[in-house]
Amino acid sequence: MESKLVIYNTLTRQKERFEPISAPHVGMYVCGPTVYGDPHLGHARPAITFDLVFRYLKHLGYKVRYVRNITDVGHLEHDADEGEDKIAKKARLEQLEPMEIAQYYTNRYHQAMDALNVLPPSIEPHATGHIIEQQQLVQQILDNGFAYESNGSIYFDIEAYNKKYKYGILSGRSLENIKDESRELAGVGEKHNQADFALWKKAQPEHIMRWPSPWSDGFPGWHCECTAMGRKYLGETFDIHGGGMDLVFPHHECEIAQATASMGHPAVKYWMHNNMLTINGQKMGKSYNNFITLEQFFTGNHPLLEKAYTAMTIRFFVLSAHYRGTVDFSNEALQAAEKGLQKLLQGISDLDRVQASDKCDAETEKIVKALRQKCYDAMNDDFATPQVISHLFEACTVVNKLVDHKATICADCLKELTETMRLFAFDILGLREEKGDSSDAREEAFGKVVDMVLDLRAKAKADKDWATSDKIRDELAAAGFEVKDTKDGVTWRLNK
């Protein structure tokens, strides 16, 4: 199938036409969370970004196998090779089994993803469930001469690899620069080179999470899991590997080296990376102690938040910027996203009130007939969601004119407008109406009260009691309600 989709490949640093290895099948691997704490806004961006990619590729007709892993071992404090495992540390402090910690926060992550309307991946493998595959990967790298054993640990030999291949092709770093930037680390004496990274670590006596291996009782290095699991579920070569830009180095750089060292060729055709969410210009994350959990966003329970924000406001906030651009957190930005989301959802809802005419006016027809292709063109240009949203806002302006009887639309164009707006807003961008049980009841009661007041106004008008009619209208306006008299009756909305 011919593809018009163009994506930015981090490896080549340019936009490339998307041509899957085995179309219509597409393999996509995305680095998932390390499950030792509540998911935060930094987790939301890659989840939403690659959910969008997943949705759009499926919409284009591809059969997508989407693999998103769960890291539940080997993610160490201090750096990738030394320190205490973060899950094991949490388990020790709370006197629980490490897998209790991993399962609890995996459940929390899934709940947050459901709220954000992130579709579940095709496969969600756990690092602890693939120890054998990781050991096999390590052994292959050893057999090929690109790793060495030291005191029961196995390290990747970057200099040996760099002589045959080239280390640093994704990040653009040279081996000499990497050596210069390497910090003096505890245990560095085990390594031939400061820049070498662990494939397998011998567990110290106090280390809880450990498995037997030909080299020692220990655990896999952090970088191994994605290489091993990506190969298991997607084959020796697959189409897309994604994650946050903070993973380019060292994690994804090491993945490329591991795959090439074990198989003799790279595994991934297109590398995709979303940019960071920042707060006051600094990356938001647990290691910086400046993160706001998604639960705190949903409840408003954080000193930096002026109010609670819904999950769809967070999703709209993320999609309002291109995935490769930085997004800085602020209450003002979130409140702008909240208003933008309300505008879009109201526009789609108002389509139900539009009456079709015999024909369209010229301007309406022009906008409606161009809308679908303009949205496709934006999506095909490296998933340009801000442009899609801009086009949908333009459509909302048309809807407002139609509701106010300032424009006309034929039945065919009304059908096209409705289908296009719903397709891109709901199916592709993944937005949805947010209504909980309690809010539903409140909104229903609220609407009934407003309708009752408007019925009183209608009665006053029928009785030619203009003073009462105008008083009701003016007081509703003062309270933030927009009331319109149309030939089809009275409409109202609350301007938030």
Side-chain angles (χ1 to χ4, degrees):
M1 56 191 298
E2 184 180 355
S3 172
K4 295 182 179 179
L5 173 62
V6 174
I7 64 176
Y8 183 86
N9 190 347
T10 310
L11 184 64
T12 60
R13 295 168 183 78
Q14 62 185 8
K15 289 183 181 180
E16 298 178 7
R17 186 174 298 279
F18 179 64
E19 297 177 334
I21 295 167
S22 301
H25 297 275
V26 172
M28 181 169 75
Y29 190 101
V30 174
C31 291
T34 304
V35 284
Y36 68 95
D38 274 333
H40 54 76
L41 191 59
H43 289 122
R45 192 168 196 194
I48 292 169
T49 294
F50 292 101
D51 179 63
L52 174 82
V53 175
F54 185 33
R55 287 171 179 271
Y56 192 57
L57 290 177
K58 289 200 302 178
H59 171 71
L60 292 179
Y62 293 108
K63 300 179 184 300
V64 186
R65 176 175 289 177
Y66 175 20
V67 180
R68 186 185 67 207
N69 71 295
I70 295 289
T71 298
D72 53 3
V73 68
H75 211 355
L76 305 181
E77 293 185 314
H78 311 313
D79 65 82
D81 292 343
E82 300 297 333
E84 188 173 6
D85 187 289
K86 294 176 180 180
I87 293 173
K89 179 180 179 180
K90 192 105 175 177
R92 177 175 54 79
L93 293 174
E94 298 188 17
Q95 297 184 326
L96 296 170
E97 284 290 329
M99 287 300 98
E100 285 185 88
I101 296 295
Q103 187 64 59
Y104 175 79
Y105 287 113
T106 298
N107 293 344
R108 297 280 287 177
Y109 177 77
H110 287 157
Q111 290 164 6
M113 294 304 103
D114 287 345
L116 291 168
N117 202 25
V118 169
L119 299 175
S122 312
I123 303 173
E124 190 175 60
H126 291 231
T128 53
H130 296 79
I131 299 299
I132 292 174
E133 288 84 355
Q134 293 177 77
Q135 289 179 354
Q136 290 171 340
L137 171 69
V138 174
Q139 189 62 59
Q140 287 176 330
I141 297 172
L142 273 169
D143 292 344
N144 291 341
F146 298 112
Y148 56 89
E149 182 177 354
S150 181
N151 297 326
S153 294
I154 308 296
Y155 292 97
F156 190 92
D157 191 334
I158 286 185
E159 284 200 337
Y161 176 83
N162 199 57
K163 286 177 182 177
K164 184 170 183 180
Y165 303 104
K166 186 178 185 304
Y167 185 79
I169 60 173
L170 186 66
S171 62
R173 302 186 185 203
S174 70
L175 183 56
E176 290 306 313
N177 287 339
I178 293 167
K179 287 180 182 178
D180 292 341
E181 292 170 5
S182 296
R183 296 179 288 123
E184 292 291 341
L185 304 171
V188 76
E190 290 187 349
K191 301 180 182 181
H192 294 173
N193 188 306
Q194 281 180 317
D196 293 347
F197 58 90
L199 298 171
W200 185 265
K201 285 290 291 182
K202 179 181 180 180
Q204 298 304 309
E206 67 277 7
H207 199 96
I208 303 173
M209 303 178 80
R210 59 173 67 215
W211 291 264
S213 81
W215 319 290
S216 63
D217 278 5
F219 53 93
W222 169 40
H223 309 305
C224 286
E225 61 184 89
C226 294
T227 305
M229 294 189 292
R231 184 168 67 181
K232 178 179 177 68
Y233 295 112
L234 299 174
E236 289 197 354
T237 56
F238 57 92
D239 298 293
I240 297 173
H241 195 319
M245 199 168 284
D246 57 328
L247 298 178
V248 170
F249 185 87
H251 185 47
H252 288 165
E253 196 73 78
C254 293
E255 279 197 61
I256 290 175
Q258 290 172 158
T260 306
S262 63
M263 299 185 297
H265 60 81
V268 179
K269 186 173 182 180
Y270 303 97
W271 286 88
M272 292 184 65
H273 294 89
N274 63 274
N275 215 322
M276 297 296 98
L277 279 163
T278 58
I279 180 166
N280 297 323
Q282 185 181 46
K283 175 194 168 186
M284 184 180 290
K286 291 187 176 73
S287 57
Y288 296 95
N289 199 31
N290 68 349
F291 65 93
I292 304 173
T293 70
L294 291 171
E295 180 69 20
Q296 288 169 326
F297 274 103
F298 301 159
T299 62
N301 186 25
H302 191 281
L304 290 176
L305 297 174
E306 294 179 2
K307 54 176 288 187
Y309 298 97
T310 68
M312 281 305 99
T313 296
I314 300 298
R315 186 175 181 108
F316 191 84
F317 171 65
V318 169
L319 294 173
S320 294
H322 191 271
Y323 77 91
R324 287 192 289 112
T326 56
V327 178
D328 197 55
F329 158 80
S330 70
N331 281 281
E332 292 78 12
L334 281 170
Q335 286 163 23
E338 185 176 60
K339 290 179 180 178
L341 175 64
Q342 181 192 9
K343 174 183 177 180
L344 177 56
L345 294 179
Q346 186 65 55
I348 295 173
S349 175
D350 283 348
L351 282 165
D352 292 337
R353 297 161 47 203
V354 173
Q355 297 294 316
S357 301
D358 293 335
K359 63 178 182 177
C360 300
D361 66 83
E363 183 65 19
T364 298
E365 184 175 24
K366 177 182 175 183
I367 293 173
V368 170
K369 288 189 173 181
L371 178 62
R372 186 182 294 255
Q373 190 58 51
K374 286 165 73 173
C375 289
Y376 274 127
D377 289 345
M379 286 298 297
N380 287 335
D381 184 14
D382 196 28
F383 308 98
T385 53
Q387 281 68 46
V388 175
I389 291 171
S390 175
H391 297 324
L392 293 176
F393 279 169
E394 183 182 16
C396 287
T397 301
V398 171
V399 175
N400 289 338
K401 290 180 179 179
L402 292 169
V403 169
D404 293 342
H405 301 286
K406 295 178 180 177
T408 57
I409 190 169
C410 68
D412 287 345
C413 283
L414 178 58
K415 182 174 182 287
E416 169 66 12
L417 179 59
T418 302
E419 289 179 352
T420 301
M421 292 186 73
R422 294 186 67 84
L423 168 66
F424 283 93
F426 299 147
D427 297 348
I428 294 175
L429 296 184
L431 301 170
R432 66 183 177 194
E433 294 278 3
E434 288 182 304
K435 293 182 179 179
D437 292 339
S438 59
S439 64
D440 277 353
R442 285 195 298 270
E443 287 181 14
E444 184 178 356
F446 182 75
K448 286 180 178 178
V449 171
V450 176
D451 288 340
M452 181 178 67
V453 172
L454 290 175
D455 285 343
L456 292 173
R457 178 172 176 263
K459 186 177 185 304
K461 289 179 69 177
D463 295 340
K464 297 185 179 181
D465 183 356
W466 309 120
T468 300
S469 172
D470 292 345
K471 185 173 187 294
I472 292 173
R473 181 199 60 207
D474 294 344
E475 290 191 3
L476 283 171
F481 291 91
E482 181 182 340
V483 177
K484 291 185 178 181
D485 294 300
T486 74
K487 67 178 184 180
D488 299 315
V490 180
T491 64
W492 65 271
R493 72 172 63 173
L494 178 60
N495 294 321
K496 296 182 180 179

